[in-house]
Amino acid sequence: VNGLQARTFGVWTLLSSVIRCLCAIDIRNRTLYYITLFTFFLALVHFLSEVFIYHTAELTIGVMAPLMVASFSILGMLIGLQYLEVEELSQNKKKN
């Protein structure tokens, strides 16, 4: 890893964390929710490709930790998405 790659990865991590924090603040914003979900899919695909396609990383705890975080976050957000849809339907019924 050279300096440019390290800084790029750092900026990508910072951007992802900002998006995730904004989603936590405004969790009912569907667009932001989908963007946040996409960041976890992107992280999962990135780390899986580094291990299984490019073979630039080994399946150690340093790689497994982000894989587990991304996987559990995707699962949790997909479950949470159902609650957002139910809440949106109930709010629409109240307005009518």
Side-chain angles (χ1 to χ4, degrees):
V1 175
N2 62 33
L4 176 61
Q5 290 171 320
R7 288 187 297 276
T8 302
F9 189 73
V11 169
W12 173 69
T13 303
L14 180 63
L15 178 61
S16 294
S17 64
V18 167
I19 291 170
R20 293 167 187 171
C21 287
L22 290 173
C23 183
I25 292 169
D26 186 12
I27 195 133
R28 289 179 180 85
N29 185 333
R30 294 180 67 78
T31 304
L32 190 55
Y33 197 90
Y34 284 121
I35 291 170
T36 304
L37 183 59
F38 179 73
T39 66
F40 286 114
F41 274 117
L42 191 61
L44 183 67
V45 169
H46 167 72
F47 282 103
L48 286 174
S49 68
E50 291 298 329
V51 172
F52 296 111
I53 296 173
Y54 301 113
H55 304 289
T56 54
E58 293 184 18
L59 205 54
T60 61
I61 191 67
V63 173
M64 288 179 60
L67 286 174
M68 290 189 313
V69 168
S71 299
F72 290 133
S73 297
I74 290 168
L75 181 64
M77 289 192 76
L78 289 175
I79 292 169
L81 187 59
Q82 295 175 348
Y83 291 103
L84 285 178
E85 291 172 358
V86 168
E87 183 177 313
E88 186 175 286
L89 289 175
S90 66
Q91 287 179 354
N92 287 339
K93 285 181 182 180
K94 286 180 185 178
K95 288 180 184 179
N96 294 332

